[in-house]
Amino acid sequence: MRADARRNRDRLLAEAEAVFRERGSDASLEAVARRAGVAIGTLYGHFPTRKALLEALLRDRQDAVFRLGDRLRDADRTGAALAEWITAVTEHAATYRGLAAQLLGSLDDETSELNAACRRMSEAGQHLVARATAAGDIRPDTTADDVFALISAAAWLRDQVPPAQADRLLTYMIDGLARG
Amino acid sequence: MRADARRNRDRLLAEAEAVFRERGSDASLEAVARRAGVAIGTLYGHFPTRKALLEALLRDRQDAVFRLGDRLRDADRTGAALAEWITAVTEHAATYRGLAAQLLGSLDDETSELNAACRRMSEAGQHLVARATAAGDIRPDTTADDVFALISAAAWLRDQVPPAQADRLLTYMIDGLARG
DNA sequence: ACCTGAACACCGTTCAAGT
DNA sequence: ACCTGAACACCGTTCAAGT
């Protein structure tokens, strides 16, 4: 990759991060290009879709989430492990306003650049759900899709209400999952 | 109100209803005006903001919700009454994609044309929450704002996942509220 | 009293032309 | 190999001019 291309790519990612944090993940791509000091076509050259740009932005953060998933795989307290997973992924999915909807919508959309990441997250959740149901820690009919959807709803809430309230409501949701 | 103005207003409401159902509550207002056969200025003349248009669209449906609120005011089983209220308002808030966010955001925004409706809904909820906490049917620290936020999250979910799953997750949330 | 539609500012996306 | 920016299609919102 040419040096100037690399530099443009890096600047685009940095400005996209800033703009998405300020205005949400549906913010203007023209604004991102403008702030990065490149033409709009350069943005499209590096990231053909908004989701491709989002995927690149989330890469590093996702790795941390997956490491947590690995660490929780064999935890003794399966209910607590699932709760910790849900809390971490909720925070991840609330990085930018509007991201939760994109992630939830990408789980079943194979054309989405976010699909692979969503599937990996869902599969990590799947394992934790299976262990928690086997241990009787959560409702027996719970699916990995349920957990992914609940996480998305909690992440959506984090963008709409004060953090303390969002945390409390997430606790309610997790408890609702536990109730048999 | 002049007869032609009345006719335009009615057509605008009918087409907005259709367009918002198809494309969500942030659909193009130009498309609404186009389908109603009037100029875009006519739409703005009748409804100065998108929220004003939404408010007019929701009026009838809201009345039904408030009647349910009145009916539940003195119910014996306060937990069940609150659950019924939550279910009904969730359905109401999921009428169009994107509406839940507008409603939740309008609760504390006095400049929003939806503010009055949100406050009325919140107050009806407030009474049911107070009765349910007094009876020990739900967590004692639950507020009317919590319930409104939970309803919004459930409504948001209804636009993202299949109805059966949304119903199941709403049950989880309501149970989470009940857990002491 | 109400309607029209041009005007302005803005955006998503593509692609021919440049370096 | 990559970048530029004009081009096209679309939208939100306002407001002078019409009826």
Side-chain angles (χ1 to χ4, degrees):
Chain A
M1 189 172 206
R2 237 163 56 180
D4 60 336
R6 162 106 275 153
R7 203 167 50 238
N8 281 339
R9 209 188 109 97
D10 290 346
R11 286 215 58 186
L12 280 166
L13 283 172
E15 296 303 331
E17 169 82 19
V19 171
F20 286 178
R21 275 195 192 279
E22 287 167 24
R23 308 218 175 272
S25 62
D26 59 344
S28 160
L29 296 181
E30 300 237 12
V32 172
R34 214 159 38 228
R35 285 176 53 158
V38 301
I40 183 64
T42 303
L43 187 152
Y44 277 91
H46 285 281
F47 308 103
T49 67
R50 184 183 295 271
K51 288 200 174 83
L53 176 53
L54 276 173
E55 198 274 339
L57 279 174
L58 294 175
R59 241 172 211 294
D60 294 346
R61 245 187 302 277
Q62 274 170 353
D63 287 346
V65 171
F66 292 137
R67 276 197 301 278
L68 175 65
D70 289 339
R71 190 148 57 71
L72 292 172
R73 274 189 74 84
D74 304 313
D76 291 333
R77 301 172 52 244
T78 60
L82 182 61
E84 189 176 344
W85 171 254
I86 290 174
T87 305
V89 180
T90 296
E91 201 161 339
H92 173 62
T95 308
Y96 318 113
R97 229 172 327 125
L99 177 60
Q102 303 251 32
L103 290 175
L104 187 49
S106 293
L107 184 57
D108 289 322
D109 175 8
E110 290 177 23
T111 73
S112 166
E113 285 88 345
L114 290 165
N115 183 254
C118 288
R119 292 179 71 94
R120 272 187 71 190
M121 283 198 282
S122 177
E123 278 156 22
Q126 163 107 53
H127 180 257
L128 297 174
V129 167
R131 301 227 323 149
T133 49
D137 282 345
I138 58 171
R139 310 168 94 104
D141 54 343
T142 307
T143 67
D145 278 4
D146 288 345
V147 170
F148 201 86
L150 220 47
I151 286 171
S152 303
W156 179 85
L157 260 181
R158 282 187 74 114
D159 293 331
Q160 318 282 330
V161 301
Q165 190 181 13
D167 286 343
R168 194 147 30 89
L169 293 173
L170 176 56
T171 311
Y172 293 8
M173 292 187 192
I174 290 173
D175 282 0
L177 213 57
R179 193 163 260 246
Chain B
M1 190 173 205
R2 237 162 60 181
D4 59 338
R6 162 106 275 152
R7 201 169 49 237
N8 282 338
R9 210 188 107 97
D10 290 346
R11 284 216 60 186
L12 281 166
L13 284 173
E15 295 303 332
E17 168 81 19
V19 171
F20 286 177
R21 276 195 191 279
E22 285 167 27
R23 308 218 175 273
S25 61
D26 59 345
S28 160
L29 297 180
E30 299 237 11
V32 172
R34 213 159 38 229
R35 285 177 53 158
V38 301
I40 184 62
T42 303
L43 186 152
Y44 278 92
H46 284 282
F47 309 104
T49 68
R50 184 182 295 272
K51 288 199 174 84
L53 176 53
L54 274 174
E55 198 274 338
L57 278 174
L58 294 176
R59 239 173 213 296
D60 293 347
R61 244 187 303 276
Q62 273 169 353
D63 288 345
V65 172
F66 292 136
R67 275 197 300 277
L68 173 65
D70 288 341
R71 190 148 56 72
L72 294 172
R73 273 190 74 83
D74 304 312
D76 292 331
R77 302 174 51 244
T78 61
L82 182 60
E84 190 176 344
W85 171 253
I86 289 173
T87 305
V89 179
T90 296
E91 199 160 341
H92 173 61
T95 310
Y96 318 113
R97 229 172 328 124
L99 178 60
Q102 303 251 32
L103 290 176
L104 187 50
S106 294
L107 184 56
D108 289 321
D109 176 7
E110 292 179 19
T111 72
S112 167
E113 285 88 346
L114 290 166
N115 181 253
C118 289
R119 292 179 70 94
R120 271 187 73 190
M121 280 197 282
S122 177
E123 279 156 23
Q126 164 105 55
H127 181 258
L128 298 175
V129 168
R131 299 226 325 149
T133 51
D137 282 345
I138 59 170
R139 309 167 97 103
D141 56 342
T142 307
T143 66
D145 277 4
D146 288 343
V147 169
F148 200 87
L150 220 48
I151 286 170
S152 303
W156 179 85
L157 261 181
R158 282 187 73 113
D159 293 331
Q160 318 283 329
V161 302
Q165 189 181 14
D167 286 344
R168 193 147 30 90
L169 293 174
L170 177 55
T171 311
Y172 292 9
M173 293 186 190
I174 289 173
D175 282 359
L177 213 56
R179 194 163 259 248

